[in-house]
Amino acid sequence: MGGAACAGSGPPGGVAGPGLRPTEAMSAPPALQIREANAHLMALHRRVAELEAQLDTAERTVHEQAELLSRHDQQLRAALDELGRAKDREIAALREQLLTSEATVRSLQATVHEKDELVQRLQPRATLLQDICRCRPPLAGLLATLAEAERLGPLQAGDPGHPLPGGPGPPLANSTGNEEDTDPLQPAVFGTTV
C-alpha cells in the first residue's frame, strides 16, 4: 500500500531509472541476493541428489542382503532336509541291522541248545571212553602176553628138542628103544590153551 501511495509523486529527491517505473525500481532484489539464492538452490539440489544416491545405495544394499539371507535360508532348509533324509536312511539301516542281529542271535541260541543236547547224549559215551582209557594199560599188557603165547605155539608131545619141564629126558644111547621101557606114568603133554 505504501508503493501505491508513492506511485503518483515519484521517488523523493531524484528521478526514476530509465525504462523502469518507480515501483519496479524499488521492489527489484539486488543481484547479490539473487546469486545467494541461486547458490542456495544449487546446494539444495546437490544435497537432494546426494540423499537420493545414498537412498538408492541403501536400497540396493538392503535388497542384496535380503537376497543373500533368502539364499542362505534356502541353503539351510536344503541342508536340514538332506540331514533329515540321511537320518531316516541311517535309522532304516540300523533297524535292518537290528533285525538281522536278532535273527542271528536266535539262530545261535538254537545251535547252542542243540549242542547242549548233543553233549548230554554223548556224556555217557565219554565216561565209557574214559573208563576204557584207564583200563588200556592192563589190557595192553594182557594182549602182549597173549600175543607172545600165540607166537610160541603149543608144545608137541615126544619132541626131543623141547622136553617138558620135569619130564623124562631124551632116550639114552644104550636104551633098547622098546616101548615097554617107556614110563607108563609119563604125564600128558598139553598145549597152551586151557
Side-chain angles (χ1 to χ4, degrees):
M1 294 189 309
C6 299
S9 58
V15 181
L20 294 177
R21 291 180 295 179
T23 55
E24 292 178 355
M26 293 179 60
S27 61
L32 179 60
Q33 292 181 355
I34 294 174
R35 286 194 299 271
E36 290 178 352
N38 289 334
H40 183 67
L41 289 175
M42 292 178 64
L44 288 177
H45 284 298
R46 285 193 300 269
R47 182 59 178 168
V48 169
E50 291 176 357
L51 292 175
E52 288 179 350
Q54 292 178 0
L55 180 61
D56 293 339
T57 303
E59 288 179 351
R60 286 194 301 271
T61 302
V62 170
H63 183 68
E64 291 174 355
Q65 290 180 353
E67 290 182 351
L68 181 62
L69 290 175
S70 178
R71 287 194 299 269
H72 186 64
D73 183 67
Q74 291 177 358
Q75 292 175 356
L76 288 178
R77 290 180 182 274
L80 289 175
D81 293 340
E82 180 61 27
L83 182 62
R85 288 191 294 269
K87 181 189 67 176
D88 293 339
R89 290 193 298 269
E90 184 177 1
I91 290 174
L94 290 176
R95 286 178 178 174
E96 185 176 358
Q97 291 180 2
L98 178 61
L99 294 176
T100 303
S101 299
E102 289 177 350
T104 304
V105 168
R106 287 193 296 269
S107 177
L108 291 175
Q109 288 176 346
T111 303
V112 169
H113 183 67
E114 292 177 357
K115 297 296 183 182
D116 290 340
E117 291 181 350
L118 180 60
V119 168
Q120 291 178 359
R121 290 197 303 269
L122 293 177
Q123 188 64 40
R125 297 175 184 268
T127 303
L128 181 61
L129 288 175
Q130 289 177 355
D131 295 338
I132 292 174
C133 291
R134 283 194 296 267
C135 296
R136 182 177 178 180
L139 290 175
L142 178 59
L143 291 175
T145 302
L146 293 175
E148 181 65 20
E150 186 69 22
R151 187 183 65 82
L152 294 175
L155 290 176
Q156 300 296 329
D159 186 359
H162 297 83
L164 290 175
L172 298 176
N174 57 357
S175 175
T176 59
N178 296 329
E179 294 179 358
E180 291 80 9
D181 295 336
T182 61
D183 188 359
L185 299 179
Q186 183 178 354
V189 179
F190 298 94
T192 57
T193 57
V194 295

